[in-house]
Amino acid sequence: MADINELAEKKLKSRIRKIKKCNKDETEKQKFFDQLGTSFEIFFPNKKPEELSDSLIIWTTPEGKVIDAEYSYEIPENEEFTSIQVSEKDLKVILESLEDFKFELSE
């Protein structure tokens, strides 16, 4: 059986080929990305990350509509962890702060 790193590399190459195909064909792009939502995690800065780690995970539909959010709080030293659903009211505040956020490659 192949090494997990080899399998991951092979799958990544396959995904990149598919995305390149989608970039050239609008129909293919719609078909592929209509199935694809996303999630991303925001790690909040902490003065002592070894003592406290907290983050926010946001899930979206393929159209970019937020469908769920969760706040995670961890005390690594004690191996304690919890997560809390983010209320719609709090989520609106968070999304407002991210409205100008844009993905770009750093140079």
Side-chain angles (χ1 to χ4, degrees), residues 1-12:
M1 181 173 213
D3 170 85
I4 188 81
N5 293 320
E6 292 173 24
L7 292 171
E9 188 71 33
K10 185 176 179 180
K11 188 64 172 182
L12 174 60

Side-chain angles (χ1 to χ4, degrees), residues 4-5 7 17 25 43 47 61 66 70 89 101 106:
I4 188 81
N5 293 320
L7 292 171
R17 282 192 303 274
D25 182 343
F43 292 93
K47 290 181 181 179
T61 65
V66 173
E70 182 178 280
K89 178 183 171 186
F101 192 81
S106 63

